[in-house]
Amino acid sequence: MPQSNFPAENMALLTELRGKDYERYLFCLFAPVVTRLDWAALFLLNAELAQIRDQVTEPMLGRIRLQWWREALAKLGTAEQPSHHLLAILAGWRQRGINLAPFEALIAARERDMEAEPFATKADYMAYRRATSHPLAAIAAQLAGQPALLVPFEKIMEDYAAIGLL
């Protein structure tokens, strides 16, 4: 099992997650101890991206925030790394060898959130569900050190996304 790089005092992540995504907070409570805080951070990152649409008055402002996350991800581990408690966690994951490309895909998928129009087709809806849930599953499986969990995680997270979109 991988060892989390979060000391006990970072249990504040769970408290923060409880306020932003209660269902995923509950999910984390049932997670193995060594992955609990990693998953809490992952779901917090997702919540940060998902809430952008509700925090801005114009779609362009939301796109600017998403671009900030892209640039911050590119600067991880450099002297120019922006200050944000979740970015420090991402930097730690990168040092542990966690592939963060799925997080980049998640940022790209969240661009759709800035559009006011509903999905034109069921296929568009299904594609969005996959694009916003499969990256979370990929990172969660890596953080757990269990690549075999990828497919079940994808299914669980995609079903959860369907409920959220309803």
Side-chain angles (χ1 to χ4, degrees), residues 37 51 65 71:
L37 293 175
Q51 291 174 351
R65 286 189 184 190
E71 292 172 6

Side-chain angles (χ1 to χ4, degrees), residues 55-122:
Q55 296 171 339
V56 297
T57 56
E58 296 291 327
M60 182 54 68
L61 296 174
R63 289 184 181 93
I64 290 168
R65 286 189 184 190
L66 290 171
Q67 183 60 32
W68 181 89
W69 278 101
R70 279 188 197 92
E71 292 172 6
L73 191 61
K75 294 176 182 177
L76 284 181
T78 70
E80 295 181 46
Q81 179 176 316
S83 175
H84 191 289
H85 69 292
L86 296 176
L87 288 174
I89 293 167
L90 282 171
W93 290 351
R94 181 170 277 165
Q95 288 176 342
R96 289 170 42 200
I98 302 297
N99 176 8
L100 297 180
F103 188 65
E104 295 169 10
L106 181 61
I107 294 170
R110 289 292 177 188
E111 287 281 343
R112 172 61 174 90
D113 294 348
M114 301 310 132
E115 297 176 24
E117 300 82 31
F119 297 103
T121 66
K122 182 180 177 183

Side-chain angles (χ1 to χ4, degrees), residues 6-12 37:
F6 299 108
E9 58 267 5
N10 279 337
M11 293 299 287
L37 293 175

